[in-house]
Amino acid sequence: MSDSLFGGLQNYFNSTAPYFQTSLSLDKIVQYKNGSFSSMEKSLKGGFSHHHGFDIVNGMDLTHKLMSYIMPILNQRLTSIYSDLISQNNYYLNQIRNLHIIPEISRLKSISEFIKGIHDDIQEISKSDRLSIANLTSLQGMKIDLKEIFHSAIARLEQLVIPSNFEPNEVANSYLVARFSLSNYIVSLVFECILSGNIDDNSVIRLESKIEECLVTLNDITDKLSGSLEQLKRYNSQEIYNINFAQWSYSILQSTNQINNLNNQNFNIDQIQYNTLSYFDINLEKKRLKEFMNSRHSLINNIKIIEDAS
């Protein structure tokens, strides 16, 4: 989990009486009055029979074995905290309808399926260093892809809000691509920490800073886009007023078509603003991160090492 926890466990095991492993049950080994065990096997009458011997286990070995049991359970708990965000991301992805960006959508769907696979199989992945490293390497490559897709979507948005280029479906789809990319980037940051084992306090504090930066970035983009759309709507309304005021210079059919087009644009702007744009709840995400941090400690605090009765 962390250097401090691992070191603490190792020091604990090394500071107590030596631990050993043997194929004999404890009731067949000679035990002294002070509770320690001999390397002699008991005879049928309870005395010494013959030397059996056993292997001393050092603190590091014990710590590794203990952590191999703990980490899959802990990682499952940590990934489950982000289950609803993964579902939310997939919802946004399914809203995208744009034939012009099929390669981007296909890549996003592949990344989404991969992240969902890590979420579902994290216990099995955590049992194998090779699987953890392989998934971590793939995830780090996908983080780069998500950032590239995000920046491409933002570049499109900047052009699409120009009155002469305005296409409502293109604006909505590009925004959803940007939101999905950055939101899944956040999940990738979390899973990267889990797979790499960097979930100590300092690592989680750095993770919190990165996530908050992403949330602020997307909320700023949402705010800027909403402002640009509102400005376009005012521009359209002014154009409608100008056409009505100078209707004598237009044919009736021409002025009617222009006004209808501008009204349709304003209707589509309202649809984007009310049905597509959405802000990240930063307080909610901070609460999620707090749960992430607390879960590590609460699970460790509840570990009890008991004697196997079998």
Side-chain angles (χ1 to χ4, degrees), residues 85-98 101-116 146 149 156 172-184 276 278:
L85 184 56
I86 293 173
S87 298
Q88 183 186 93
N89 288 344
N90 291 335
Y91 168 80
Y92 281 111
L93 181 59
N94 291 331
Q95 305 307 305
I96 301 172
R97 301 285 186 273
N98 193 329
I101 54 174
I102 284 179
E104 281 186 1
I105 296 175
S106 297
R107 184 59 179 149
L108 288 174
K109 285 184 176 179
S110 297
I111 293 173
S112 176
E113 290 171 1
F114 182 80
I115 289 175
K116 184 68 164 56
L146 287 169
I149 294 172
R156 283 197 303 273
N173 286 324
S174 293
Y175 173 80
L176 289 171
V177 167
R179 180 184 175 89
F180 175 87
S181 300
L182 201 58
S183 186
N184 247 1
T276 302
S278 59

Side-chain angles (χ1 to χ4, degrees), residues 154-214:
I154 296 305
R156 283 197 303 273
L157 276 175
E158 291 173 350
Q159 296 300 314
L160 290 169
V161 292
I162 298 173
S164 59
N165 295 337
F166 182 68
E167 289 288 343
N169 289 334
E170 295 287 331
V171 171
N173 286 324
S174 293
Y175 173 80
L176 289 171
V177 167
R179 180 184 175 89
F180 175 87
S181 300
L182 201 58
S183 186
N184 247 1
Y185 184 82
I186 290 172
V187 178
S188 299
L189 287 173
V190 175
F191 284 10
E192 182 181 38
C193 283
I194 293 172
L195 288 172
S196 64
N198 292 326
I199 52 176
D200 57 276
D201 288 347
N202 289 334
S203 296
V204 175
I205 289 172
R206 288 194 296 271
L207 172 65
E208 183 178 15
S209 176
K210 291 178 182 178
I211 289 178
E212 186 167 356
E213 182 181 349
C214 291

Side-chain angles (χ1 to χ4, degrees), residues 8-19 59:
L9 287 170
Q10 185 180 341
N11 289 336
Y12 168 76
F13 288 127
N14 284 333
S15 64
T16 57
Y19 290 82

